[in-house]
């Protein structure tokens, strides 16, 4: 029998820049694989208002917020900006502003209790918390317990909290744009992107408490390029109507941060951004905005298969569906295929430690309903090991071990867990 090791050819992988932050790569850099975005194509469409936001507005708001964060809070290199909020139209602006300052972003689940948020603030040593009006009471409570002054809590907007004396992202953007520049964005040295931390993203905590995964800027950039290379973005490999990614999960999660946002921006497409998931609103938005690509998790797929409201909306614009974050049985995928007879569909697999994607259903297969998580992205090696570290045979039970250019640096401030999980490179 053959050993259980698979190589995805590294020669298929275009150059990955190692001297850029994720903000610079996304907002300022034209990679050879990146399509030229069609004039007038927005980057973000706000779901409930229909507001359309383009590159220049995003770059301007990012600069304004970065300047104000420096002026008001003296955010500097390697400080941690913690975002505790459901999706918001300025969520990515806040991430990029932190990166412009050389700071690190850590996203917290907006459903966290005070105790859970306290744990993340203390584990990351966060210097400011950006939150949503609905999340403000828990944010203030966690700040008191950790000794973080309440004036270092920033709201994305005031919502119904009109009389609070708390800074908002909007007021900070306005102040930053009206003030002289107080920061100089540092350019990374060659190779520095592989070591400079962009995100402290927390793992699921399957064993013990969740661990802060230290993800360098190079890792999500590598994953975006791996995905783009796999899907032949910017290549005429098939007739136009058959090409995928031609020119909605939470953003605190690595799946939302990399695959659903930064890769989609790279591919020249628009994101419809909702504050929080409501299934009926989701169906309305597919119909209203003629969505073409859906990035789902298994509970979304089950709803699409079984919910009676599905038949009330025109979902014919959808031509690509991928599910990740957990396994789907082939029977469920077959039900989904009946709902969307013309769409390509299948599953993908990834981890926080790999900065999201590891595998996806193949480009040469319109549908993969087998339950498989697909083929490896370019430049990845996967092997199945026995408990003693030796290579297992195919069909033999073992542990999946991955090597990829998008790998995290390890777990922040947790050398024992890092040694246990990250082995031999």
């Amino acid at each position: 029998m053959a050993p259980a090791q698979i190589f995805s050819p590294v020669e298929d992988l275009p150059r990955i820049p190692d001297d850029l932050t994720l903000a610079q790569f996304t907002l300022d850099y034209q990679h050879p694989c990146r399509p030229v975005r069609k004039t007038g194509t927005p980057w973000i469409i706000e779901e409930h208002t229909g507001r359309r936001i383009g590159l220049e507005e995003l770059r301007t708001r990012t600069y304004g917020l970065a300047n104000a964060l420096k002026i008001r809070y003296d955010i500097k290199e390697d400080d941690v900006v913690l975002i505790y909020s459901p999706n918001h139209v300025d969520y990515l602006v806040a991430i990029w502003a932190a990166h412009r300052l050389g700071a690190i972003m850590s996203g917290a689940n907006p459903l966290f209790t005070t105790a859970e948020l306290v744990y993340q603030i203390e584990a990351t040593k966060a210097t400011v918390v950006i939150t949503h009006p609905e999340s403000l009471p828990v944010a203030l409570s966690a700040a008191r317990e950790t000794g973080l002054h309440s004036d270092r809590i920033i709201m994305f907007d005031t919502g119904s909290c009109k009389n609070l004396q708390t800074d908002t992202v909007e007021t900070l953007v306005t102040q930053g744009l009206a003030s002289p520049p107080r920061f100089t964005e540092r350019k990374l040295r060659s190779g520095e992107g592989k070591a400079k931390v962009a995100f402290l993203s927390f793992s699921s905590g399957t064993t013990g408490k969740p661990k802060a995964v230290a993800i360098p800027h190079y890792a999500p950039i590598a994953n975006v390029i791996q995905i783009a290379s796999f899907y032949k973005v910017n290549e005429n490999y098939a007739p136009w109507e058959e090409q995928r990614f031609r020119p909605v999960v939470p953003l605190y999660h690595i799946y939302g941060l990399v695959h659903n946002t930064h890769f989609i921006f790279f591919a020249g497409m628009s994101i419809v951004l909702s504050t929080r998931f409501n299934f009926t609103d989701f169906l309305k938005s597919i119909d209203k905005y003629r969505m073409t690509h859906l990035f789902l998790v298994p509970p979304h797929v089950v709803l699409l298969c079984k919910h009676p409201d599905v038949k009330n909306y025109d979902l014919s614009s959808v031509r690509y569906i991928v599910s990740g974050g957990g396994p789907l049985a082939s029977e469920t995928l077959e039900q989904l295929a009946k709902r969307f007879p013309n769409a390509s569909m299948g599953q993908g697999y990834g981890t926080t430690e790999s900065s999201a994607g590891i595998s996806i259903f193949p480009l040469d297969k319109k549908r993969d309903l087998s339950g498989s998580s697909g083929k490896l992205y370019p430049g990845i090696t996967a092997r199945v090991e026995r408990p003693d570290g030796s290579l297992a045979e195919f069909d033999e039970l073992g542990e999946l071990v991955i090597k990829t250019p998008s790998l995290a640096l390890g777990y922040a401030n947790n050398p024992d867990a890092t040694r246990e999980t990250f082995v031999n490179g």
Side-chain angles (χ1 to χ4, degrees):
M1 294 177 68
Q5 181 164 247
I6 302 172
F7 297 89
S8 187
V10 72
E11 59 266 19
D12 292 346
L13 197 55
R15 177 184 172 273
I16 304 167
D18 59 12
D19 58 351
L20 298 174
T21 66
L22 184 59
Q24 290 163 351
F25 174 77
T26 304
L27 300 174
D28 309 330
Y29 179 73
Q30 183 60 45
H31 190 277
C33 294
R34 187 173 190 170
V36 176
R37 182 178 288 264
K38 291 183 179 178
T39 303
T41 303
W43 282 47
I44 296 173
I45 300 170
E46 192 172 27
E47 181 185 44
H48 292 299
T49 65
R51 175 186 168 199
R52 299 160 69 89
I53 305 170
L55 172 61
E56 287 312 311
E57 182 175 353
L58 290 172
R59 292 183 85 233
T60 299
R61 292 184 71 78
T62 297
Y63 168 81
L65 182 57
N67 201 34
L69 287 173
K70 182 64 179 177
I71 293 167
R72 293 292 297 274
Y73 301 97
D74 193 29
I75 299 299
K76 53 189 179 299
E77 187 104 358
D78 297 330
D79 281 351
V80 175
V81 174
L82 192 149
I83 303 181
Y84 171 60
S85 173
N87 290 355
H88 190 278
V89 72
D90 278 325
Y91 199 114
L92 291 156
V93 166
I95 293 172
W96 295 327
H99 289 170
R100 293 287 201 209
L101 295 169
I104 299 165
M105 175 271 188
S106 184
N109 187 331
L111 300 179
F112 271 176
T113 62
T114 296
E116 289 169 321
L117 186 59
V118 163
Y119 173 74
Q120 187 158 338
I121 291 173
E122 290 180 338
T124 60
K125 300 179 176 61
T127 56
V128 295
V129 174
I130 302 178
T131 192
H132 189 275
E134 294 175 12
S135 309
L136 184 62
V138 172
L140 289 170
S141 175
R144 281 193 298 271
E145 289 196 30
T146 58
L148 187 68
H149 199 282
S150 61
D151 67 5
R152 299 187 78 83
I153 305 294
I154 303 164
M155 290 198 298
F156 274 115
D157 53 59
T158 55
S160 58
C161 311
K162 301 298 182 188
N163 298 319
L164 286 175
Q165 301 301 308
T166 305
D167 279 337
T168 67
V169 166
E170 188 62 46
T171 58
L172 290 173
V173 167
T174 301
Q175 179 187 0
L177 292 176
S179 304
R182 283 282 299 276
F183 76 99
T184 301
E185 186 173 3
R186 189 166 69 78
K187 305 302 180 186
L188 303 184
R189 298 181 300 275
S190 177
E192 192 178 358
K194 293 182 177 181
K196 182 158 180 57
V197 177
F199 299 115
L200 288 175
S201 295
F202 279 69
S203 68
S204 56
T206 353
T207 55
K209 285 190 172 182
K211 297 178 283 292
V213 182
I215 298 174
H217 288 271
Y218 181 85
I221 291 171
N223 204 231
V224 166
I225 292 173
Q226 285 174 304
I227 300 167
S229 176
F230 183 91
Y231 279 119
K232 300 185 178 183
V233 171
N234 210 25
E235 294 182 34
N236 290 319
Y237 63 89
W240 174 255
E241 62 276 5
E242 295 176 17
Q243 292 180 27
R244 299 179 193 171
F245 299 102
R246 58 179 195 243
V248 194
V249 295
L251 296 181
Y252 74 87
H253 193 281
I254 198 69
Y255 181 18
L257 273 178
V258 178
H259 203 292
N260 299 18
T261 50
H262 287 88
F263 166 64
I264 293 300
F265 294 146
F266 185 93
M269 297 166 62
S270 303
I271 293 168
V272 177
L273 189 65
S274 60
T275 302
R276 60 180 72 247
F277 182 77
N278 174 282
F279 186 65
T280 303
D281 288 345
F282 172 59
L283 296 174
K284 289 177 182 175
S285 292
I286 295 173
D287 190 342
K288 178 179 178 180
Y289 297 110
R290 310 308 299 150
M291 291 187 192
T292 55
H293 292 63
L294 305 181
F295 299 93
L296 308 176
V297 291
H300 299 157
V301 174
V302 172
L303 284 169
L304 284 168
C305 291
K306 297 184 176 181
H307 201 286
D309 282 357
V310 172
K311 65 180 182 299
N312 298 329
Y313 297 92
D314 179 4
L315 310 181
S316 60
S317 60
V318 175
R319 55 186 180 82
Y320 174 92
I321 302 173
V322 67
S323 178
L328 279 175
S330 55
E331 294 79 10
T332 306
L333 285 165
E334 287 166 4
Q335 292 178 41
L336 187 68
K338 290 176 184 175
R339 287 283 198 191
F340 296 89
N342 299 316
S344 301
M345 64 181 62
Q347 296 189 81
Y349 169 69
T351 67
T352 305
E353 289 81 356
S354 65
S355 306
I358 290 171
S359 64
I360 200 82
F361 74 103
L363 191 60
D364 58 3
K365 198 168 188 177
K366 184 176 176 68
R367 295 184 172 189
D368 186 349
L369 310 182
S370 66
S372 163
S373 58
K375 287 186 173 181
L376 297 175
Y377 286 124
I380 296 179
T381 303
R383 50 190 284 153
V384 179
E385 294 184 356
R386 302 184 179 106
D388 64 2
S390 61
L391 196 58
E393 305 289 342
F394 275 108
D395 291 330
E396 183 180 355
L397 192 65
E399 183 176 38
L400 181 64
V401 180
I402 298 292
K403 187 173 184 181
T404 171
S406 68
L407 202 63
L409 298 172
Y411 299 114
N413 306 312
N414 197 335
D416 292 340
T418 299
R419 279 192 296 271
E420 181 181 342
T421 305
F422 293 81
V423 293
N424 301 323

